Amino acid sequence: MTTILLQAIEATERALNDAEVYFGHGTDNAWDEAVFLVLGACGMPLDTQQDELQKELTDTQLLQVKSWLEKRIQQRLPLPYLLGETWFAGIPFGVSEDVIIPRSPIAELIGNHFSPFINQLPKTALDLCCGSGCIGIAMALHMDIPRVDMVDISPAALLLSQQNIDRHGLNGHVQVYDSDIFSGLSPHRYDLIVSNPPYVDANDYDDMPAEYTHEPKMALVSGDDGLDLTAAMLAEAADWLSEQGLIVIEVGNSELALQQAFPEIPFMWLELSQGGNGIFCLTGAQCRQYQAQFYTWHQSR
């Protein structure tokens, strides 16, 4: 008995729903996940046309769909790791199990050129804790920033970032550095610093769906309150921002812990039309004004 593409997608959707897998790495429902899984397993593009849904699958394609579906359900392996690819800010990025899967709501800010928080396009930008390089590369492609630097300490992240730089033809335009926050960089003032660092606190990590256990823990957790890396960034940000510079950091559910640590500091918490929370920005002037407090806080941790 033959199986057509549409039947495979429908069967996959039912299996995903029955297994109650968690959707949070690129899709938010079983139908979209089934479409991506089946098309990817069959080596077909995401823009496959409606009439091709009646196409019969080969035995090889059916076996691949079955294999991927078993891994997705039994191992709770996130779909982008099966595909080896995901999309961020409308751009495809290679991914691997050694690096966190891109999904930050910062993508919306990049698409809007961080308006209205910056008045003119930056000449230089820095992506801290770059992972796959998705934020830095998206800024370079969407905003045409002449110089974008990216840093990480994970060898796998550095390799994957360079592969994604090569993929999008950005060599000489985007550079990735082996650096623990700012420590491996030459002195420079950036107009824009952006980071989606590890920010999950210890309690939240213990309660996360099984899918997240496949991602590197060091890319998710940052101390008991999720703010160790954020503290390190804020302690030094004033020294790396230009006169009119801006820093944007995502801290997710650790937003409350940061507000409690600094109730008097006017963090600008950004509202996003496409969903997401816990992203704040500070100007370079504010970072300089409160640098002593940030530094003391960092040293006390």
Side-chain angles (χ1 to χ4, degrees):
M1 183 176 178
T2 60
T3 300
I4 64 173
L5 188 61
L6 179 59
Q7 291 172 328
I9 293 172
E10 291 173 340
T12 298
E13 179 193 25
R14 289 194 297 271
L16 293 170
N17 275 325
D18 290 345
E20 297 182 345
V21 301
Y22 180 80
F23 306 110
H25 292 91
T27 68
D28 61 6
N29 63 86
W31 174 257
D32 287 347
E33 188 100 346
V35 170
F36 292 167
L37 188 153
V38 173
L39 291 179
C42 294
M44 301 177 70
L46 293 179
D47 60 355
T48 294
Q49 299 301 304
Q50 188 78 16
D51 57 357
E52 293 191 66
L53 295 180
Q54 302 303 313
K55 184 177 180 179
E56 292 183 6
L57 272 62
T58 66
D59 290 343
T60 300
Q61 289 173 325
L62 282 170
L63 285 173
Q64 187 67 275
V65 170
K66 181 180 179 181
S67 173
W68 281 16
L69 184 58
E70 287 179 350
K71 291 179 180 178
R72 182 69 186 89
I73 290 175
Q74 295 177 9
Q75 299 178 26
R76 290 302 202 256
L77 190 67
L79 182 59
Y81 287 151
L82 291 167
L83 296 170
E85 182 177 88
T86 194
W87 289 73
F88 177 81
I91 302 165
F93 289 91
V95 294
S96 74
E97 290 187 54
D98 297 315
V99 177
I100 193 171
I101 297 168
R103 54 183 175 273
S104 172
I106 288 174
E108 179 181 332
L109 301 175
I110 296 172
N112 293 333
H113 295 188
F114 293 90
S115 176
F117 309 105
I118 55 176
N119 297 320
Q120 57 185 13
L121 288 181
K123 295 180 179 178
T124 58
L126 174 64
D127 176 4
L128 293 171
C129 304
C130 67
S132 63
C134 61
I135 288 176
I137 290 171
M139 289 194 296
L141 290 174
H142 280 293
M143 300 174 65
D144 197 26
I145 301 173
R147 171 180 172 177
V148 178
D149 293 341
M150 309 191 301
V151 304
D152 209 296
I153 59 171
S154 162
L158 296 170
L159 176 61
L160 184 60
S161 289
Q162 187 58 56
Q163 291 172 346
N164 282 320
I165 290 170
D166 295 342
R167 174 177 185 168
H168 293 290
L170 293 171
N171 277 297
H173 186 48
V174 179
Q175 302 287 336
V176 60
Y177 297 94
D178 183 354
S179 176
D180 186 359
I181 314 296
F182 302 105
S183 64
L185 293 170
S186 299
H188 187 79
R189 296 280 182 172
Y190 293 94
D191 298 324
L192 178 62
I193 298 175
V194 183
S195 184
N196 174 25
Y199 59 72
V200 178
D201 66 42
N203 289 333
D204 280 354
Y205 183 76
D206 290 339
D207 294 336
M208 294 179 84
E211 279 80 357
Y212 290 97
T213 64
H214 290 278
E215 296 183 293
K217 186 175 182 179
M218 68 175 291
L220 293 170
V221 180
S222 186
D224 289 342
D225 63 359
L227 294 173
D228 281 2
L229 275 169
T230 299
M233 292 175 189
L234 291 177
E236 294 189 59
D239 300 326
W240 295 87
L241 283 166
S242 64
E243 191 65 27
Q244 302 300 319
L246 186 78
I247 187 168
V248 179
I249 302 178
E250 179 177 348
V251 295
N253 289 340
S254 295
E255 172 182 343
L256 179 59
L258 184 60
Q259 290 178 321
Q260 290 175 339
F262 297 104
E264 77 285 4
I265 292 181
F267 296 104
M268 174 69 74
W269 296 98
L270 311 186
E271 295 185 4
L272 303 166
S273 63
Q274 298 174 20
N277 68 292
I279 300 176
F280 73 86
C281 67
L282 289 170
T283 65
Q286 289 172 324
C287 288
R288 284 182 279 277
Q289 179 181 355
Y290 300 109
Q291 184 174 24
Q293 294 181 53
F294 290 141
Y295 182 79
T296 300
W297 179 53
H298 171 54
Q299 291 297 110
S300 70
R301 299 178 70 81

